[in-house]
Amino acid sequence: MLPPAKLPPQGLPTCLSARHLLACGLLGVSIVHGAPVAAQDQEQAAENPLAGREIAFEADGLAYDNNADTVTATGNVLARSGDQSVRADAITWNRTSGEIVATGNVQLVDDDGNQLFTERLELTDELKAGAMSNMLLAFRQGGRLAADMARRDDAGDIVLDMAAYSSCAVVDAEGCPRDPSWRVTARRVFYDSTTQRIRFEGAHLELFGAQVLPLPGLVLSADGSPASGVLMPDAGYSASNGFELSQGYYWRLAENRDLTLMGYFYTGAVPMVSAQYRQLNQTGAFQVSAYGTYSTRIPLNSTVPTAQEELRGYLFTNGRWQLDPNWSVTGSLRVASDRTFLRRYDITREDRLRSTFNIERIDADSYLSISGWATQALLIPQDQKTVPLALPLLDYRLRLRNPVLGGRVSLQANTLAITRAEGQDTQRAFVRAQWDMRRITPLGQEVTLTALVRGDAYNSDQNLLTQTPSYRGLPGWQMRGVATTAVDVKWPLLGDFLGGTQVITPRVQLVATPPTRNLAIPNEDARAIDLEDSNLFALNRFAGYDRVEDGVRMTYGLDWQANLPGWRLESSFGQSYRLTDRAALFPDGTGLNEQFSDFVGRSTVRYRDVVKFTHRFRLDKDNLAVRRNEIDATFGNDRNYVEVGYLRLNRDVDVTFEDLQDREELRVAGRVTFARYWSVFGSAVTNLTNRAEDPTLNSDGFEPLRTRLGVAYSDDCLEMSFTWRRDFVALADARRGNSFRVNFSLRNIGFR
């Protein structure tokens, strides 16, 4: 016998009975907690005839009918058997037939936490549900299943006739009923509580009360786990392929493995198939995706299809394995049959594919990486034979635990091999040691001292095949030594400002590096160089290792930060001056090619989560012309927002220099929500580069690249959208024109 306890009255509110849910399309309940339950009478409990069945219960009263040989518990009845429980207004046990019946606001909770609500329920002696009427089954993962009648068949499944299922909430924030945006109705539903599978017969999908799609063979998982079955079809239209219909099948191979098979059918192209296999184990996970079709293609920079059909496709696989707390392995393989396949079928819009692997060991003081990468050129005008293969790339770093002369010492060893089928090959190895000491002076200045030494060894051949002379270096073995010292001083000044605080931080840095044999060394990883706020105070403003900024220079700047109620403002501004007049390595237009550099800065404005504004700029040191103007701004919240991105590079660089072309671009995106769940969204990308900025282009300064406009619906259980997109640039198979796409996503159902 359970001890007396205070329990809430149970049951469905009158307006939310399961019968009403089926009638109006609702599938859910709201439980209201209330008054305490009276304690059992001890003498009645002592004579409890159900005790032999190992069912403990509580009730306000207990009655025994000698003539009918029945025992009836009434008033806030709670019965328990193991992890299951039943609450009802009354529970009657017929001792002759063994029938146990619960009536009146019945709530059954099974071993998995699922809840069943009904008006009348027949029970087994282990509190298993039998026949029931006007019932609602609320699953722990959020789904709800309602039916007029239900019973347990010989196989132990619960069979529901004329049932409805949904994962939508059926009450609003005020607790009032609301229609679900979707539900699945079925002639018959089978629920297996052991496997947690729900199988439908004669099922149809209803959206906003209208029957829209038959769902033959639909199977769901009550516990939220995936289940094998047919996926929701997807439809669309594109200028390249015409109308598209895709259909898939999801196959749950095991708890840790699955396979998805897809078929794509087009009116303007031959069909395509794809497969995705995924597996998770104790050490990691991996997936393999493949696409394939057999069709004609148009080579890049051509408008004429090939004379005969050929096999076209794409293979993508990636994975990660954590072998132990320190060692891990990651890798990816991405290969396309040709340069235009991925763009034509809108699988990805990337202009190159990279395959990588990386073996890493990380602990508190050291890092080891053994990696490599290969790149496949797609939409860039480069011969694939000249694209480099980096294998292997080894990098080891060690941080000494004990300070040396009051500073921290870090060591690094690195080696890299670059190979091309046609072009320059380069091998590199270096070792480096760096010492850093940071101190705070009595006046509050932050002083950082740095000393760095490095020794390099390079070997290269076929150097003349590299088009840019400054990248070639000298063939054969070349050695280089690098030594750098630096002093960096910051002085944060804190004070009150407009009801908040502000911090003004002047900063000065002095860096000295003896003349270095830069041009004798091939340049593979330090080609794209541009002065920005992010690298203004870097020890080496080249991005990679192959070029080292030598000479003596002083860099100075100012950082400002203000924190006001709801606001955060930041700004930085700076310039550098090279004390030596030795010819610089930096190409014209980078802002670093003369003794005085250009001015660079960044400003950021943030107001709560409503305004996010960042402006980066570079000003010409001679006439303050804007050489770089970059704006990223977001206004609004998650429901209503506008995003603006603008970039203009007016560096006046040599048009033949392959890594520093000037350009101007505008990006705009936004979303407006209306009628609570509906929204309109759109985006556009426009090339604003004109011939004055890049004489090699034919653009007149306003060339739309891509626009998108759509309408979407999103609530707690349904997301759907209709999107129109127009591409203005034709790339071989990928034609310019309009594309349309319809997307569905339903909670608890594996629709894409």
Side-chain angles (χ1 to χ4, degrees):
M1 180 184 69
L2 293 177
K6 294 184 177 181
L7 302 173
Q10 304 300 320
L12 293 172
T14 304
C15 67
L16 288 177
S17 66
R19 188 177 303 279
H20 175 69
L21 299 179
L22 284 169
C24 66
L26 301 180
L27 294 167
V29 297
S30 176
I31 304 301
V32 181
H33 294 270
V37 175
Q40 291 181 337
D41 182 85
Q42 297 296 326
E43 294 182 359
Q44 290 177 334
E47 298 176 358
N48 174 18
L50 299 180
R53 298 192 182 268
E54 298 182 352
I55 299 176
F57 74 98
E58 297 178 10
D60 291 345
L62 188 68
Y64 176 65
D65 186 341
N66 285 320
N67 295 327
D69 198 14
T70 59
V71 179
T72 302
T74 58
N76 298 310
V77 183
L78 170 61
R80 291 181 178 173
S81 176
D83 292 331
Q84 298 187 113
S85 66
V86 176
R87 299 177 187 271
D89 292 342
I91 294 181
T92 301
W93 175 47
N94 189 313
R95 301 208 314 172
T96 302
S97 64
E99 181 184 55
I100 302 175
V101 178
T103 56
N105 298 320
V106 181
Q107 177 189 358
L108 181 146
V109 180
D110 65 15
D111 297 333
D112 299 307
N114 304 317
Q115 301 181 66
L116 186 151
F117 301 91
T118 183
E119 294 297 326
R120 185 180 186 278
L121 173 63
E122 295 181 7
L123 296 164
T124 68
D125 56 2
E126 295 178 351
L127 295 191
K128 299 291 186 180
M132 62 205 82
S133 61
N134 191 25
M135 61 83 64
L136 171 73
L137 186 56
F139 299 105
R140 183 168 57 88
Q141 296 296 329
R144 298 167 176 86
L145 191 58
D148 280 334
M149 299 294 296
R151 65 190 185 279
R152 187 178 293 273
D153 63 10
D154 296 338
D157 296 344
I158 295 180
V159 183
L160 301 90
D161 296 319
M162 305 306 295
Y165 172 87
S166 181
S167 63
C168 299
V170 295
V171 292
D172 57 22
E174 290 74 29
C176 297
R178 73 175 179 90
D179 292 339
S181 53
W182 70 269
R183 66 171 185 164
V184 175
T185 59
R187 181 179 64 255
R188 183 164 297 166
V189 176
F190 299 86
Y191 169 56
D192 187 338
S193 59
T194 303
T195 62
Q196 295 285 294
R197 292 293 186 264
I198 307 171
R199 182 166 55 89
F200 295 79
E201 287 185 358
H204 289 80
L205 174 65
E206 292 185 3
L207 289 178
F208 306 107
Q211 193 174 96
V212 296
L213 186 70
L215 299 174
L218 178 64
V219 178
L220 301 179
S221 296
D223 59 1
S225 62
S228 299
V230 178
L231 298 175
M232 177 73 174
D234 197 5
Y237 172 85
S238 69
S240 301
N241 302 312
F243 288 98
E244 172 191 339
L245 178 66
S246 60
Q247 178 66 67
Y249 182 83
Y250 176 81
W251 188 2
R252 183 71 165 174
L253 302 174
E255 290 297 321
N256 66 326
R257 296 181 290 120
D258 60 22
L259 176 66
T260 302
L261 304 174
M262 296 292 300
Y264 305 84
F265 306 93
Y266 310 96
T267 59
V270 298
M272 182 175 67
V273 296
S274 71
Q276 182 187 58
Y277 176 81
R278 302 185 302 177
Q279 181 171 324
L280 171 69
N281 52 40
Q282 293 181 347
T283 58
F286 72 93
Q287 67 173 356
V288 180
S289 299
Y291 294 79
T293 187
Y294 196 74
S295 67
T296 59
R297 69 178 180 90
I298 301 176
L300 194 64
N301 300 323
S302 174
T303 59
V304 181
T306 54
Q308 59 184 3
E309 294 183 339
E310 59 185 61
L311 182 64
R312 307 180 67 190
Y314 170 55
L315 175 65
F316 168 46
T317 176
N318 67 333
R320 176 179 175 84
W321 295 267
Q322 192 70 40
L323 306 181
D324 63 27
N326 301 114
W327 286 93
S328 66
V329 178
T330 58
S332 67
L333 174 66
R334 305 181 68 188
V335 180
S337 61
D338 55 80
R339 296 191 177 215
T340 60
F341 174 79
L342 296 176
R343 178 63 67 94
R344 171 175 181 171
Y345 293 98
D346 205 22
I347 298 172
T348 177
R349 307 188 72 83
E350 297 173 83
D351 59 4
R352 54 175 59 86
L353 299 177
R354 175 171 289 186
S355 300
T356 66
F357 81 91
N358 192 8
I359 303 172
E360 290 181 296
R361 187 188 186 281
I362 305 174
D363 61 25
D365 298 303
S366 67
Y367 172 78
L368 171 65
S369 171
I370 305 172
S371 62
W373 50 264
T375 301
Q376 181 181 4
L378 296 180
L379 304 178
I380 54 177
Q382 182 178 2
D383 188 344
Q384 180 63 40
K385 295 180 180 179
T386 66
V387 177
L389 170 68
L391 183 70
L393 170 58
L394 284 79
D395 190 60
Y396 177 73
R397 306 185 188 199
L398 175 65
R399 184 175 59 191
L400 302 184
R401 293 188 177 184
N402 298 323
V404 176
L405 300 177
R408 176 76 69 174
V409 174
S410 59
L411 307 176
Q412 180 183 9
N414 181 285
T415 182
L416 168 66
I418 296 289
T419 305
R420 294 176 174 87
E422 293 181 2
Q424 179 174 333
D425 297 336
T426 303
Q427 299 84 44
R428 175 191 77 196
F430 71 80
V431 292
R432 185 181 78 160
Q434 182 170 331
W435 173 86
D436 296 284
M437 183 178 69
R438 176 178 174 271
R439 292 290 185 268
I440 304 296
T441 70
L443 294 179
Q445 295 98 339
E446 177 185 344
V447 180
T448 302
L449 303 179
T450 300
L452 181 151
V453 292
R454 196 177 101 187
D456 303 344
Y458 282 79
N459 181 39
S460 60
D461 57 19
Q462 302 293 322
N463 300 59
L464 294 179
L465 296 179
T466 297
Q467 294 183 356
T468 304
S470 63
Y471 292 167
R472 295 171 182 168
L474 299 178
W477 286 97
Q478 304 296 328
M479 304 296 174
R480 178 176 64 178
V482 178
T484 299
T485 59
V487 179
D488 194 317
V489 180
K490 302 178 184 178
W491 194 356
L493 304 173
L494 176 66
D496 297 332
F497 181 70
L498 298 179
T501 61
Q502 68 173 339
V503 181
I504 302 175
T505 307
R507 182 177 181 181
V508 178
Q509 180 193 64
L510 183 66
V511 180
T513 301
T516 304
R517 298 181 68 237
N518 276 295
L519 294 180
I521 301 300
N523 183 3
E524 297 281 5
D525 68 357
R527 297 184 174 186
I529 174 64
D530 199 6
L531 179 63
E532 302 176 354
D533 63 283
S534 60
N535 64 6
L536 177 63
F537 287 93
L539 293 179
N540 181 23
R541 287 179 287 202
F542 283 99
Y545 296 110
D546 292 341
R547 288 290 179 265
V548 176
E549 186 177 1
D550 54 9
V552 180
R553 72 177 187 271
M554 179 168 45
T555 306
Y556 40 87
L558 185 72
D559 295 332
W560 176 75
Q561 177 181 309
N563 291 284
L564 309 176
W567 292 86
R568 182 180 178 88
L569 311 176
E570 295 179 331
S571 185
S572 63
F573 187 80
Q575 185 188 36
S576 67
Y577 172 71
R578 187 177 297 107
L579 278 65
T580 56
D581 57 0
R582 184 172 178 268
L585 290 172
F586 301 102
D588 292 342
T590 60
L592 292 165
N593 55 305
E594 298 184 22
Q595 282 191 276
F596 278 99
S597 76
D598 286 346
F599 299 99
V600 293
R602 183 191 73 251
S603 297
T604 302
V605 178
R606 184 182 183 112
Y607 176 70
R608 303 189 189 276
D609 290 328
V610 178
V611 176
K612 304 172 186 176
F613 178 88
T614 301
H615 179 218
R616 297 178 178 88
F617 60 90
R618 174 157 67 88
L619 304 178
D620 191 290
K621 64 178 178 58
D622 296 322
N623 55 16
L624 299 183
V626 180
R627 298 303 180 191
R628 181 187 187 96
N629 191 16
E630 183 177 2
I631 296 174
D632 288 295
T634 301
F635 306 95
N637 51 36
D638 293 338
R639 294 174 56 83
N640 299 281
Y641 63 85
V642 174
E643 295 179 347
V644 178
Y646 173 77
L647 173 64
R648 186 183 186 216
L649 300 176
N650 183 28
R651 298 169 294 191
D652 196 22
V653 298
D654 185 350
V655 295
T656 63
F657 198 79
E658 57 184 302
D659 294 300
L660 293 175
Q661 291 84 8
D662 284 340
R663 62 190 179 97
E664 187 174 6
E665 182 180 277
L666 175 66
R667 307 178 309 277
V668 180
R671 180 182 293 271
V672 177
T673 303
F674 63 96
R676 191 173 185 178
Y677 299 117
W678 291 90
S679 63
V680 176
F681 59 90
S683 63
V685 179
T686 303
N687 180 16
L688 302 178
T689 309
N690 57 35
R691 296 179 184 177
E693 294 168 325
D694 190 343
T696 63
L697 296 180
N698 295 322
S699 173
D700 59 359
F702 186 87
E703 182 184 18
L705 301 179
R706 186 171 62 256
T707 59
R708 186 173 66 116
L709 184 65
V711 59
Y713 176 92
S714 178
D715 61 20
D716 62 310
C717 62
L718 167 65
E719 291 185 1
M720 63 178 183
S721 64
F722 175 79
T723 305
W724 163 79
R725 189 187 72 207
R726 180 171 180 82
D727 290 292
F728 294 87
V729 178
L731 290 169
D733 295 60
R735 301 174 183 173
R736 70 178 69 197
N738 299 315
S739 300
F740 302 91
R741 180 67 58 184
V742 179
N743 291 315
F744 277 96
S745 179
L746 291 86
R747 180 185 173 196
N748 284 13
I749 296 184
F751 292 178
R752 291 175 290 117

